[in-house]
Amino acid sequence: MDLFDSELRVIAAAEELARGLGTDANHTVAAAAMDTTGAIHTGVNVHHFTGGPCAEVVVIGAAAAANAGPLVTIAAVGDHSRGLLAPCGRCRQVILDLHPDALVAVPDDITGQRSIVPIPALLPHSYRHPESAPTRLLRFHARYFDAVTDGTKSLTVRWNESHRTGPALAYFENTEHGPLPVEISSVMVKRLDELGPEDLDLTRPGALDRYIGNLRGHYPTMPADASVEIVRFRRTAADI
């Protein structure tokens, strides 16, 4: 996925905090996270011989102390110019359980470029804590705000995410629009190359090809035989 300015700000906040580290071996990684209001929270790891939390876990706690609600983006950066760091396995599980719709900034070991990926993609076939009941997010580009608000948009297709039926917040990327309460009524999984117009409520000639073309623009690495989620939802008036 291409990075939005808001996601670059999260990485920049972690980088700035990391530049101040390096004199204390107990604090070597900085993390930053953004909530749905655009506020950025920061924290550093706490190393100890008995064990200690990674920076990502610390920043989740800092955000919770500020009553931040669901987090939308998380990034961690190492001291001594080590750059962006992918979360360890334990952190991936914690993020998945507490903020299952967060995007995580990770480095590409081959190209050296930074990318942003949904946390479910970093932990496939994962264990889900049965007592975990986080507020869910359904992400949209800012251009869909009016259509979601007035109810004309009630279907979306997602790849490498893991949505469930029930209440959620429609979150609009890189915009000042606040999240809107929605209800996810159904989630159907189907292969991309088996999608038909009827699956997406499309009636105009060529509409399916255009839809899949737009979907590929959003997910450029999505394979032709990818399993995608067809998510149906409706705007609700109740607060979540």
Side-chain angles (χ1 to χ4, degrees):
M1 293 183 181
D2 293 332
L3 274 65
F4 290 110
D5 288 344
S6 58
E7 294 162 350
L8 293 173
R9 287 199 293 117
V10 174
I11 296 173
E15 289 174 335
E16 181 180 3
L17 185 56
R19 282 193 290 270
L21 302 177
T23 59
D24 187 340
N26 296 317
H27 308 292
T28 57
V29 178
M34 179 179 286
D35 62 32
T36 59
T37 71
I40 295 179
H41 310 269
T42 59
V44 300
N45 72 311
V46 182
H47 176 74
H48 191 262
F49 75 90
T50 62
C54 295
E56 294 93 331
V57 174
V58 173
V59 80
I60 287 173
N67 296 314
L71 300 177
V72 298
T73 308
I74 298 177
V77 174
D79 63 353
H80 298 296
S81 302
R82 286 186 290 146
L84 196 63
L85 303 175
C88 71
R90 179 174 180 269
C91 285
R92 296 181 190 202
Q93 184 69 56
V94 171
I95 296 170
L96 184 71
D97 283 338
L98 302 183
H99 300 281
D101 304 299
L103 297 182
V104 182
V106 297
D108 188 312
D109 294 335
I110 299 176
T111 66
Q113 299 296 312
R114 300 176 298 186
S115 60
I116 196 90
V117 296
I119 183 61
L122 290 180
L123 204 61
H125 310 294
S126 59
Y127 171 81
R128 301 299 292 269
H129 195 289
E131 297 180 1
S132 177
T135 299
R136 300 304 304 264
L137 297 178
L138 189 57
R139 294 170 175 270
F140 294 95
H141 191 280
R143 65 176 175 269
Y144 294 119
F145 179 77
D146 290 339
V148 173
T149 299
D150 63 23
T152 55
K153 184 173 180 59
S154 59
L155 181 150
T156 184
V157 178
R158 304 303 172 93
W159 175 60
N160 256 352
E161 300 180 25
S162 182
H163 292 287
R164 297 180 178 181
T165 58
L169 292 177
Y171 170 72
F172 300 90
E173 304 274 11
N174 203 41
T175 176
E176 294 181 356
H177 293 306
L180 299 174
V182 297
E183 181 81 16
I184 296 178
S185 57
S186 69
V187 180
M188 182 176 71
V189 178
K190 195 165 186 177
R191 277 179 41 147
L192 178 66
D193 55 6
E194 295 177 348
L195 283 179
E198 66 282 358
D199 296 317
L200 309 179
D201 300 337
L202 301 175
T203 57
R204 295 182 179 180
L208 178 62
D209 290 339
R210 290 192 295 272
Y211 194 105
I212 292 178
N214 290 333
L215 196 63
R216 288 193 177 282
H218 185 67
Y219 300 117
T221 62
M222 180 176 59
D225 61 350
S227 292
V228 297
E229 294 179 337
I230 303 171
V231 181
R232 294 180 182 272
F233 66 94
R234 65 180 180 85
R235 169 82 191 277
T236 59
D239 293 332
I240 295 180

